[in-house]
Amino acid sequence: MEVFTSHKKPSSSLASLSNGVPTLPLYRSPPTLEVRLEDFERFAVDRLLVLRAISDGLARGKKPDEMGKLVTDLWKTHMRHPRASEDIDKDIISHFVLRLVYCRSEELRKWFLSMESTLFRYRFRDMNSDVHLALMTELGIPYKVVSQKEFEDLREQLNLVARSVNQPLPTPNGLYKVSFEEVPELVASRKVFIQKGYAYVALNQVVSFVVPHFRSHLSKALILTNRKWTSMIREQEKDRLTPIVEALATSYLGPDYCQDKEFGEISLKDIDQVARTSFPLCMQHLFNTLREDHHLKHGGRMQLGLFLKGVGLKLDDALAFWKAEFSQKVGAERFDKEYAYSIRHNYGKEGKRTDYTPYSCQKIILSTPGVGDHHGCPYRHFSEENLRAALGKMGVSSRALDDIVEKAKSRHYQLACTLTFEALHATSCDAGINHPNQYFSDSQKILKEKNMSTTA
Ligand code: SF4
């Protein structure tokens, strides 16, 4: 791809402003520098960690100040390059890689647009006035500087508006005139003084009209990237970038939970009890369906089977467990012939002997269960009625239930699951739920601690 093949450095006017001061690119054009494949992926993963944590912060209803702090901390933790001079490159490259990843469907575009705009908003607030002015110029936002004389003439009116919205009186060099149509939000909430078609906007209010410009530019760019992706890049890069891009949207960024080391094995005699106390809803649903119907289709067998491997169910126990259920429906012989192979396969004992890892929430949420399937994430794939009933059965109180269902309806599935975890374990789970096996492991940790303190 042209974007990642030349050796030239990015030449944004903002980059030239930097002089060691962090700047904020507008991502108008792709970087024209050579990127190693590992960096291509690593930078994207780092940015994804930032965007996902922002999504979680928003879904939890964090206030603007809390969001500002969160964004600053996330940026420092994940987006600093070991060589400070390459921070901007990392920023631009990671943005453009994720643009490829998230241009590929309406749903992905919407999420990326919203998270990138939020990230931009809070980073913009942290920048100095030189960067603000450079950005307005680069975005083509027409603004005029207010002269000292004009400021003195309007001092009283400006003062009145500032006081009515609890803002300090702006200084003449921190005040700009923009067409009032540029700032409908500020006009509607009467936060600016208007005269002769101009709104007098203080520097700290500039963010409200810069972000929509940024957002609209990115929205158009995502559509264009999608066209290029489907018409050209996907095919051209099928052996190099395409597999990375396709995996990134569903990638899970935490430990792989191949085998839970911390809690060792679970035995067959305990499985019903730990399922009740420590399985997340997706796995409880599969587990209960299997117990009732003595059968699960392929998607369900994979999702539950790999999860059980991850929580420490040994291969022999797994075979015995599945056989006990399936033979009631299809007979022991057919189980041995048709189903045992895929269980051994999941444990890496057949076929290519790959050790298959348990599915992450991302992967489960993006799956598309058909009729008769029971896999997927209930917060996404259940009707509201079924979700309420399932949560009630798990023991979620009616007070917590409405909140959880609300989060699921607004498509914050992992947060809904986190709130369920918090309600059932009477404790907070700040890291959020990202993996069913993490749910299990965190739950076991809490239950064992509780157990120890009651027996002490
Ligand atoms: Fe399972 Fe994850 Fe959905 Fe929770 S959020 S039910 S752990 S897929």
Side-chain angles (χ1 to χ4, degrees), residues 213-272:
H213 275 269
F214 174 82
R215 194 185 166 96
S216 131
H217 164 72
L218 180 55
S219 171
K220 287 180 201 139
L222 279 166
I223 305 275
L224 286 178
T225 312
N226 175 248
R227 278 192 211 135
K228 280 193 199 158
W229 170 259
T230 40
S231 66
M232 189 174 72
I233 305 172
R234 184 171 52 193
E235 180 55 26
Q236 269 176 7
E237 293 288 337
K238 67 177 188 313
D239 298 322
R240 207 172 65 113
L241 302 184
T242 302
I244 300 176
V245 166
E246 287 180 342
L248 270 169
T250 55
S251 65
Y252 157 68
L253 310 171
D256 65 11
Y257 294 101
C258 233
Q259 181 93 48
D260 197 314
K261 307 275 182 310
E262 200 168 346
F263 295 103
E265 299 162 23
I266 58 162
S267 68
L268 278 184
K269 73 173 174 27
D270 297 331
I271 200 166
D272 287 274

Side-chain angles (χ1 to χ4, degrees), residues 272-430:
D272 287 274
Q273 196 243 325
V274 291
R276 234 183 351 266
T277 58
S278 295
F279 281 16
L281 184 52
C282 54
M283 300 303 168
Q284 283 207 16
H285 175 61
L286 286 169
F287 186 85
N288 295 337
T289 306
L290 177 66
R291 284 284 197 230
E292 279 158 29
D293 296 354
H294 314 297
H295 192 269
L296 278 179
K297 287 169 106 178
H298 177 74
R301 293 200 301 275
M302 289 297 285
Q303 185 176 311
L304 179 63
L306 290 171
F307 168 79
L308 290 175
K309 179 178 83 155
V311 304
L313 190 68
K314 291 269 163 250
L315 174 60
D316 286 348
D317 282 348
L319 283 166
F321 168 74
W322 289 98
K323 187 169 183 169
E325 296 303 330
F326 267 63
S327 43
Q328 294 182 53
K329 186 90 166 195
V330 301
E333 202 180 319
R334 199 167 144 209
F335 174 83
D336 289 338
K337 250 207 261 156
E338 290 177 29
Y339 298 98
Y341 174 88
S342 73
I343 293 163
R344 284 199 299 274
H345 193 261
N346 284 348
Y347 279 74
K349 303 290 180 217
E350 297 282 2
K352 281 195 261 164
R353 299 188 177 249
T354 317
D355 211 1
Y356 289 96
T357 52
Y359 295 168
S360 67
C361 293
Q362 285 279 325
K363 184 168 172 126
I364 295 173
I365 287 169
L366 290 175
S367 64
T368 45
V371 180
D373 278 326
H374 291 278
H375 64 278
C377 172
Y379 298 100
R380 173 167 195 180
H381 297 115
F382 275 18
S383 67
E384 180 177 340
E385 199 188 344
N386 286 351
L387 182 59
R388 282 183 180 277
L391 289 168
K393 212 165 135 198
M394 266 181 125
V396 174
S397 71
S398 48
R399 206 160 47 90
L401 214 143
D402 286 341
D403 203 11
I404 295 169
V405 171
E406 231 11 81
K407 294 292 183 234
K409 274 163 71 180
S410 47
R411 300 150 61 116
H412 297 303
Y413 312 116
Q414 286 170 244
L415 182 60
C417 188
T418 308
L419 295 181
T420 305
F421 181 96
E422 291 178 343
L424 292 174
H425 295 81
T427 184
S428 68
C429 172
D430 293 337

Side-chain angles (χ1 to χ4, degrees), residues 187-208:
V187 172
S189 52
R190 296 167 187 264
K191 287 188 175 153
V192 279
F193 171 65
I194 299 174
Q195 183 173 268
K196 296 185 185 153
Y198 283 108
Y200 287 71
V201 183
L203 199 54
N204 63 1
Q205 295 171 315
V206 161
V207 69
S208 70

